[in-house]
Amino acid sequence: MSYTLSQLGQETSRRFAELLATTGLEPRQFALLGAVARQEGQSQQAVAGQVAIPTSTMVALVDHLEEEGLIERRPHPSDRRTRMLHLTSKGSSALDKATLLAGNWEASLCAGFNPSERSRLLELLGRVADNLGLDLLYYVS
Amino acid sequence: MSYTLSQLGQETSRRFAELLATTGLEPRQFALLGAVARQEGQSQQAVAGQVAIPTSTMVALVDHLEEEGLIERRPHPSDRRTRMLHLTSKGSSALDKATLLAGNWEASLCAGFNPSERSRLLELLGRVADNLGLDLLYYVS
DNA sequence: TATTGTTATACTCTATAACTATA
DNA sequence: TATAGTTATAGAGTATAACAATA
């Protein structure tokens, strides 16, 4: 079971990353764009906390996405230290595209499952997560 | 589903590595010892293939395990290039200990599952693996 | 000429902590 | 004095290819 979960988890991550690469995004960038989209105008540190990366790493990540024209750093009106992060229209459409891809990926994982089988699997996995004391955040259900 | 599997896989790996560390072993070392135990006297390259690491990485890995007295390099009787890998008695008992730990870990993941639930979960995961065209090697069932 | 093991090198990734400018 | 962002540096890990001995 442990081996199965590890292998499946690793393989789904790896292949989703491959699929996502067709949009020019890495998984972490996808997560970052999603976090910015959920609430525009957040500081870099706020977003860094949500995607669980150190702020120093955040800088290069944002640099890159800004160079690609997917997000913007805008000055904070009252605090000149902080940069507010916003999606550009290009970033927004990239996120939409990646989100669509993620949906397809979900579907392909569960190909041949009927709804009750799919929810049964999620329920059993949820119990494993409980046994680990892990609470999963369902960005994508 | 994809997110759930990724998170669960990553977390089970991470925590098992932590647990395993109490025996002084890393997961890769555990895998290597297991491969050697399955058939003693294999060459480094043969074992490297089984644990899926490049031969250059293998050298330092074997160096370390040899320094710790867990495995031995022995000369091949007819080919002076190859080194035959063997478990020492210390290595054998370390492997036994780690294997026991892995069994406990398996059990704790499925705590509260009755046998049919457990096999149902494995079956559903197997179907996901099929959808990925992935065939899982069950070292530990 | 090919193969086993070894070594060296270069590269990525990341974490830590120092630094700046603001507050 | 504390905080947001930035930069610099150092460390782990890994992959690549060159190398020596042997086949």
Side-chain angles (χ1 to χ4, degrees), chain A residues 42-55:
Chain A
Q42 296 182 91
S43 71
Q44 290 191 185
Q45 289 201 5
V47 174
Q50 288 162 35
V51 297
I53 57 173
T55 59

Side-chain angles (χ1 to χ4, degrees), chain A residues 32-130:
Chain A
L32 195 156
L33 292 182
V36 172
R38 266 189 295 283
Q39 185 176 344
E40 301 250 352
Q42 296 182 91
S43 71
Q44 290 191 185
Q45 289 201 5
V47 174
Q50 288 162 35
V51 297
I53 57 173
T55 59
S56 61
T57 304
M58 191 66 183
V59 176
L61 200 51
V62 171
D63 281 351
H64 192 242
L65 289 171
E66 197 170 33
E67 281 162 19
E68 306 244 311
L70 300 178
I71 63 177
E72 279 179 9
R73 283 188 245 236
R74 297 189 193 158
H76 189 284
S78 64
D79 186 340
R80 294 206 294 173
R81 293 173 305 178
T82 85
R83 318 301 188 86
M84 297 172 39
L85 299 182
H86 287 263
L87 245 56
T88 63
S89 62
K90 188 177 171 189
S92 182
S93 70
L95 178 59
D96 287 347
K97 202 169 155 188
T99 302
L100 190 62
L101 223 56
N104 294 341
W105 179 241
E106 288 287 310
S108 70
L109 284 179
C110 292
F113 284 58
N114 63 41
S116 83
E117 287 172 332
R118 187 172 177 286
S119 64
R120 177 72 166 148
L121 176 50
L122 279 172
E123 181 233 321
L124 292 168
L125 290 176
R127 284 169 59 189
V128 174
D130 284 345

